[in-house]
Amino acid sequence: MEVTQCSCAWAGDFSQLEALFNSPYTGAVTTRTSTVNGYKETDANAVAFTTSSISSLNSYGYSPYPLSYYLSWVESILTGPSSSKFPSKPFIISVTASGWSDLESILVAVQSLRTKLSDRPSSRIAIELNTSCPNMGPTSPPSGYKFTALRELLNGLETAHRKDPTLTIGLKMPPYVYQQQFTDVLSVLSDFSAATMVQGGAMKRSSPFAFLTCTNTLGNSLLFPDQVAHNEKSGGQDYAVPTALGGLAGEALHALSLGNVFTFHRLLHIERPKEYDGLERIVIIGVGGVTTKQAVARMTKAGAEVVGAATLLGKEGVRAFEILSRD
């Protein structure tokens, strides 16, 4: 079972990404979610860790660094001396965009880097569209909760994949809480599957989307100072993070994350209706409360093919992945 980290604040700069790449315990590296121009952080963006479990609450948005920084850092790492030690370890470039114009610019930049690094036909650079940050304010709810609204962006991604089938594309999902939400997602994704000819001349449907990262943090969560360890931004405040509400992660999210992985796996592989044909090759990256090797095993049992962690990384640093690999 491959273990990686998911997009988070602790994968946000060159030194963090380099340390993650150099770890023999990480199967891949995912960047912090970036935008074309970067997101302006303030003192209101913070994280607090609970004292009762390995859980966290954060009020972070997207990375303050623009996409161009991440592409430069990824290039430096993949062409640097460490690359020969891990010649097949991939990067997932996590991005987001509010409209097709920005996403098109992102795709052009990512594809330009892949061309420069001869990243075809086998690929070490994937792209993940983050549909699920809960901390962007009341006027910017996570688009993953209104999945039909993503059709323009998904259509653009499908077009890019049709032009270059070596492009690996995934989506980072919010936590869902009832069945219709899952079926709505898969119904939309199935619209982008297309029939292609396979060996023997038969036609088979396939999807441009390679993976789903399940799940991001649970928004609208509240913790008080007596529930968290002190940090420089939470001390002396009424709430654990300056914004009061934030995204809940870690062990407090584990059961819901397992349920999301299980439900997607069941719909894609066990009880897949005919209309979802073509989606069965989508890989599920299970994220949420992965703090022990036992949690890795639970994610695998629920249906994840790759397991990711973030809160443990924030708490323990890169040694988190050694912890997850211990017998």
Side-chain angles (χ1 to χ4, degrees), residues 199-308:
Q199 190 172 7
M203 300 299 290
K204 188 173 183 179
R205 284 166 60 83
S206 62
S207 175
F209 305 106
F211 65 90
L212 300 178
T213 304
C214 308
T215 70
N216 207 331
T217 59
L218 180 63
N220 206 53
S221 299
L222 177 68
L223 292 174
F224 290 93
D226 65 317
Q227 296 175 280
V228 301
H230 172 79
N231 64 49
E232 67 274 12
K233 291 186 179 180
S234 66
Q237 295 181 155
D238 293 330
Y239 307 103
V241 294
T243 54
L245 301 174
L248 184 68
E251 291 176 350
L253 188 64
H254 190 52
L256 182 57
S257 297
L258 287 172
N260 274 244
V261 169
F262 177 82
T263 303
F264 273 123
H265 175 76
R266 184 180 62 195
L267 290 171
L268 289 172
H269 300 288
I270 299 174
E271 302 173 1
R272 186 178 73 253
K274 183 70 175 174
E275 59 264 31
Y276 295 167
D277 283 357
L279 302 180
E280 63 272 10
R281 295 181 64 183
I282 291 177
V283 169
I284 299 173
I285 302 177
V287 178
V290 178
T291 59
T292 63
K293 192 168 185 179
Q294 292 74 27
V296 173
R298 287 190 290 269
M299 276 293 182
T300 305
K301 190 173 181 179
E305 296 181 54
V306 178
V307 176

Side-chain angles (χ1 to χ4, degrees), residues 56-112:
S56 63
L57 186 74
N58 84 80
S59 55
Y60 287 122
Y62 303 122
S63 175
Y65 298 110
L67 172 69
S68 59
Y69 281 51
Y70 287 97
L71 298 182
S72 175
W73 294 336
V74 169
E75 179 182 358
S76 295
I77 293 170
L78 289 182
T79 58
S82 297
S83 184
S84 60
K85 298 179 185 177
F86 308 103
S88 61
K89 186 179 290 191
F91 267 95
I92 300 173
I93 311 294
S94 185
V95 300
T96 197
S98 58
W100 169 238
S101 177
D102 277 357
L103 185 56
E104 184 178 31
S105 298
I106 288 169
L107 286 167
V108 168
V110 171
Q111 291 289 65
S112 177

